[in-house]
């Protein structure tokens, strides 16, 4: 194969720089537990306990349960080959070939070594309700695949939808109490499509000329919004028809001041509902009040709140009783739904507009039919198995009681230092990760570019498939990793602001509480 030497050298130079910053991010090989080993009910020839009628498909059965089942543990239990585990705890790059597969094991010593593996408890996933191994959801995917294969492999606007896609859109619109819904290949694509569409409106109406100040649109974005919102806004800016304002994280005084200062009449405020890195909620009620005052378009990315929050799983807007104030809701099918994909819930007019201008929707292949069927089954299951939502919030309460950390959601962000150098941050996280991994907990450090430089953290996520005993066992190694961090960062705290010093003292208090509980 021919090589381009100048470009090869450039890439190697960039990789060396990333390596020096400890910013190279490997993809590790893990292995999932087999639900069939968990006394699972067979996919076919089963008896149903409850059923739901589908208007477009006749009668279809949806088996639901009243409590956690053995296969639910597959959502939070993973296995790592011994060779991969050793590379993991020593922070060595992954080759991508460290695998455990009984059908590939040879009779040599290396093959025998690969049969050794570690069982770890996953504490960094997004399967909040433990639905990835639910037999009803798997059955829905299998049935759709047997009937239609993977489906029409083309753009939705060219090859169209089938009833599986439409019933999923309808169920999500009902869940969000919106008029209609549009499926997207990912949540990232959904945010990109919406932001680009908003950015296109003024130039579309300007008919070939540069939009005037009265025609331009102002977008106000929380400083810690998801990367998909940020990238979408960047593309919207490229059309030279929007002006962007970034307000301090959840700071309503700052947002109000920016809104008052802005002379543009057409305004949009976009925010994550539950922030993925810090685990805190957007001040929905306060934003809703500002919306009434300033008459802006209120857009919420509810990726981590859909099905998790609200009495009926309607998300953060339902939880804070402001569904009527939110104009557009973006959601993910990759989190609590246990599948893959994204959606936008809004009016029929907005749907038509995005279908015409949302490039990441227009030029993306339609969601595979088995995925649409499985996602729809997930929505139905969650509506019936309401105990799953109660379980995840019980785990939040358990963690709060066991650690003394005042968490507000299933996302637990432990900022383990404000090191001035990325290298120091990575090493500190390495020590923390070792403590958790060797104790049987799979938690990986979150570093730049996922978070700003010098704000590296351990991000723990809870699931309804976790148990109170799981969290009790987590307490001791968590105390150890935080304690090691306090020792390393106290010296640095002396050189930083008073606020940072207070943060370190708070962490030290948490360590004492953890030690008393372990």
């Amino acid at each position: 194969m021919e090589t381009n030497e100048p470009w090869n050298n450039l890439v190697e130079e960039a990789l060396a720089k990333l390596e020096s910053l400890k910013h190279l991010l490997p993809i590790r090989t893990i292995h999932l537990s087999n639900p069939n080993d968990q006394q699972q009910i067979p996919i076919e020839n089963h008896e149903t306990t409850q059923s739901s009628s589908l208007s477009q498909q006749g009668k279809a059965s949806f088996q639901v349960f009243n409590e956690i089942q053995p296969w639910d543990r597959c959502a939070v239990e993973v296995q790592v080959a011994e060779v991969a585990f050793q590379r993991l705890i020593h922070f060595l790059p992954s080759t991508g070939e460290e695998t455990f597969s009984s059908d590939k094991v040879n009779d040599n010593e290396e093959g025998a070594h690969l049969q050794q593996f570690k069982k770890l408890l996953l504490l960094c996933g997004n399967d909040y309700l433990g639905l990835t191994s639910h037999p009803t959801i798997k059955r829905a995917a299998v049935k759709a695949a047997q009937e239609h294969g993977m489906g029409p492999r083309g753009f939705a606007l060219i090859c169209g939808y089938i009833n599986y896609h439409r019933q999923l859109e309808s169920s999500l619109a009902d869940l969000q109490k919106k008029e209609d819904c549009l499926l997207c290949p990912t949540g990232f694509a959904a945010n990109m499509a919406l932001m680009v569409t908003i950015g296109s409106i003024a130039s579309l109406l300007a008919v070939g000329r540069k939009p005037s100040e009265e025609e331009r649109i102002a977008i106000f974005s929380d400083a810690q919004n998801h990367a998909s919102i940020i990238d979408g806004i960047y593309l919207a800016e490229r059309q030279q028809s929007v002006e962007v304002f970034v307000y301090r994280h959840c700071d309503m005084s700052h947002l109000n001041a920016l809104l008052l200062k802005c002379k543009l009449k057409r305004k949009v405020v976009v925010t994550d509902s539950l922030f993925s890195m810090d685990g805190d909620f957007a001040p929905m009620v306060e934003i809703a009040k500002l919306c009434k005052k300033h008459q802006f378009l209120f857009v919420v990315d509810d990726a981590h709140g859909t099905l998790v929050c609200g009495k009926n799983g309607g998300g953060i807007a339902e939880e804070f009783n402001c569904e009527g104030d939110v104009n557009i809701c973006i959601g993910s099918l990759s989190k609590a739904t246990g599948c893959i994909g994204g959606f936008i819930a809004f009016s029929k007019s907005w749907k038509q507009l995005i279908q015409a201008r949302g490039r990441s929707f227009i030029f993306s292949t339609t969601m595979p039919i088995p995925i649409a069927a499985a996602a729809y089954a997930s929505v139905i299951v969650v509506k019936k198995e309401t105990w799953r939502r109660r379980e995840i919030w019980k785990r939040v309460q358990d963690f709060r009681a066991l650690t003394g950390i005042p968490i507000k959601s299933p996302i637990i962000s432990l900022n383990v230092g404000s090191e001035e150098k990325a290298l120091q941050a990575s090493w500190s996280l390495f020590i923390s990760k070792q403590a958790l991994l060797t104790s049987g907990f799979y938690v990986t450090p979150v570093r730049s570019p996922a978070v700003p430089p010098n704000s590296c953290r351990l991000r723990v996520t809870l699931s309804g498939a976790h148990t109170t005993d799981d969290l009790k066992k987590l307490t001791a190694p968590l105390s150890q990793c935080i304690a090691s961090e306090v020792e390393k960062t106290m010296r640095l705290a002396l050189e930083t602001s008073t606020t940072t010093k207070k943060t370190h003292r708070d962490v030290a208090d948490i360590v004492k509480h953890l030690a008393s509980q372990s």
Side-chain angles (χ1 to χ4, degrees), residues 393-410:
W393 290 105
K394 284 180 182 177
R395 297 296 83 78
V396 172
Q397 293 174 352
D398 289 341
F399 189 91
R400 188 185 300 139
L402 287 166
T403 65
I405 301 175
I407 65 171
K408 298 178 180 179
S409 76

Side-chain angles (χ1 to χ4, degrees), residues 322-477:
C322 56
E323 291 166 299
D325 299 298
V326 175
N327 302 110
I328 299 177
C329 182
I330 301 98
S332 171
L333 302 174
S334 312
K335 310 295 191 297
T337 314
C339 297
I340 185 71
F343 67 89
I344 316 172
F346 39 23
S347 68
K348 290 185 180 297
S349 297
W350 268 105
K351 181 173 183 176
Q352 288 181 313
L353 183 59
I354 290 183
Q355 286 179 179
R357 307 298 288 183
R359 293 168 64 86
S360 59
F361 165 79
I362 295 170
F363 298 104
S364 292
T365 300
T366 307
M367 179 184 293
I369 293 173
I371 300 299
Y376 176 72
S378 291
V379 175
I380 299 299
V381 166
V382 173
K383 284 184 177 180
K384 294 180 177 294
E385 295 185 359
T386 55
W387 58 268
R388 288 185 179 272
R389 201 156 38 252
R390 291 194 295 271
E391 284 299 310
I392 181 63
W393 290 105
K394 284 180 182 177
R395 297 296 83 78
V396 172
Q397 293 174 352
D398 289 341
F399 189 91
R400 188 185 300 139
L402 287 166
T403 65
I405 301 175
I407 65 171
K408 298 178 180 179
S409 76
I411 301 172
I412 303 157
S413 180
L414 301 174
N415 194 326
V416 291
S418 57
E419 297 89 342
E420 296 179 351
K421 296 180 180 179
L423 180 60
Q424 290 174 309
S426 297
W427 176 252
S428 298
L429 286 170
F430 160 54
I431 297 297
S432 303
K433 185 177 72 171
Q434 272 191 323
L436 291 169
L437 281 169
T438 54
S439 299
F441 299 101
Y442 192 96
V443 179
T444 57
V446 178
R447 296 173 285 138
S448 179
V451 293
N454 299 322
S455 64
C456 305
R457 67 199 64 193
L458 288 173
R459 179 179 180 271
V460 176
T461 52
L462 303 180
S463 168
H466 289 132
T467 66
T468 304
D469 285 342
D470 290 335
L471 301 189
K472 288 180 179 178
K473 293 174 183 177
L474 174 65
T475 301

Side-chain angles (χ1 to χ4, degrees), residues 79 149 177 217 330 407:
Q79 300 171 3
K177 291 185 172 55
I217 295 173
I330 301 98
I407 65 171

Side-chain angles (χ1 to χ4, degrees), residues 161-380:
Y161 278 170
I162 71 168
N163 55 334
Y164 282 103
H165 298 98
R166 286 302 304 137
Q167 70 183 11
L168 176 56
E169 286 186 336
S170 178
S171 68
L172 292 169
D174 290 343
L175 183 71
Q176 298 291 340
K177 291 185 172 55
K178 294 291 181 282
E179 189 179 13
D180 211 334
C181 175
L182 182 67
L183 294 179
C184 293
T186 63
F188 201 110
N191 273 322
M192 293 283 284
L194 176 61
M195 292 298 112
V196 168
T197 299
I198 290 173
S200 74
I201 294 174
S203 57
L204 175 67
L205 298 179
V207 193
R209 59 179 172 79
K210 186 176 180 180
S212 66
E213 284 299 305
E214 289 188 355
E215 294 172 320
R216 298 178 73 221
I217 295 173
I219 300 178
F220 299 81
S221 177
D222 189 286
Q224 293 190 21
N225 274 342
H226 191 264
S228 56
I229 296 176
I230 297 170
D231 287 2
I233 290 175
Y234 172 76
L235 290 180
E237 277 188 293
R238 298 282 292 177
Q239 300 179 64
Q240 298 182 339
S241 60
V242 302
E243 186 172 352
V244 179
F245 301 85
V246 178
Y247 61 91
R248 291 188 292 270
H249 179 51
C250 291
D251 189 333
M252 293 300 96
S253 295
H254 189 214
L255 174 58
N256 184 53
L258 291 175
L259 288 165
L260 289 171
K261 186 178 180 180
C262 178
K263 301 302 181 182
L264 302 183
K265 294 181 179 180
R266 299 167 178 171
K267 299 179 176 70
V268 180
V269 171
V270 57
T271 180
D272 282 10
S273 60
L274 174 53
F275 289 88
S276 60
M277 285 297 115
D278 284 350
D280 56 337
F281 293 106
M284 297 291 290
V285 175
E286 289 82 353
I287 297 177
K289 290 179 180 178
L290 288 178
C291 183
K292 291 181 174 65
K293 177 181 178 181
H294 296 281
Q295 296 298 301
F296 53 73
L297 184 76
F298 189 3
V299 178
V300 173
D301 179 358
D302 202 23
H304 294 270
T306 301
L307 297 181
V308 176
C309 299
K311 181 180 179 181
N312 301 299
I316 303 301
E318 182 186 27
E319 179 71 27
F320 290 98
N321 194 30
C322 56
E323 291 166 299
D325 299 298
V326 175
N327 302 110
I328 299 177
C329 182
I330 301 98
S332 171
L333 302 174
S334 312
K335 310 295 191 297
T337 314
C339 297
I340 185 71
F343 67 89
I344 316 172
F346 39 23
S347 68
K348 290 185 180 297
S349 297
W350 268 105
K351 181 173 183 176
Q352 288 181 313
L353 183 59
I354 290 183
Q355 286 179 179
R357 307 298 288 183
R359 293 168 64 86
S360 59
F361 165 79
I362 295 170
F363 298 104
S364 292
T365 300
T366 307
M367 179 184 293
I369 293 173
I371 300 299
Y376 176 72
S378 291
V379 175
I380 299 299

Side-chain angles (χ1 to χ4, degrees), residues 39-91:
Q39 303 175 12
Q40 184 172 352
I41 297 173
I43 287 183
E44 297 180 345
N45 301 321
H46 62 278
E47 296 292 331
T48 60
T49 58
Q50 297 186 33
S51 64
S52 175
S53 175
L54 300 181
S55 59
Q56 295 175 311
Q57 293 188 19
K59 297 289 184 178
S61 297
F62 285 87
Q63 187 173 26
V64 294
F65 305 90
N66 296 323
E67 59 185 1
I68 194 169
Q69 300 296 316
W71 56 78
D72 287 319
R73 291 292 290 178
C74 296
V76 294
E77 291 179 350
V78 298
Q79 300 171 3
V80 178
E82 180 64 34
V83 61
F85 181 77
Q86 292 302 321
R87 298 186 72 85
L88 188 60
I89 63 174
H90 291 98
F91 216 51

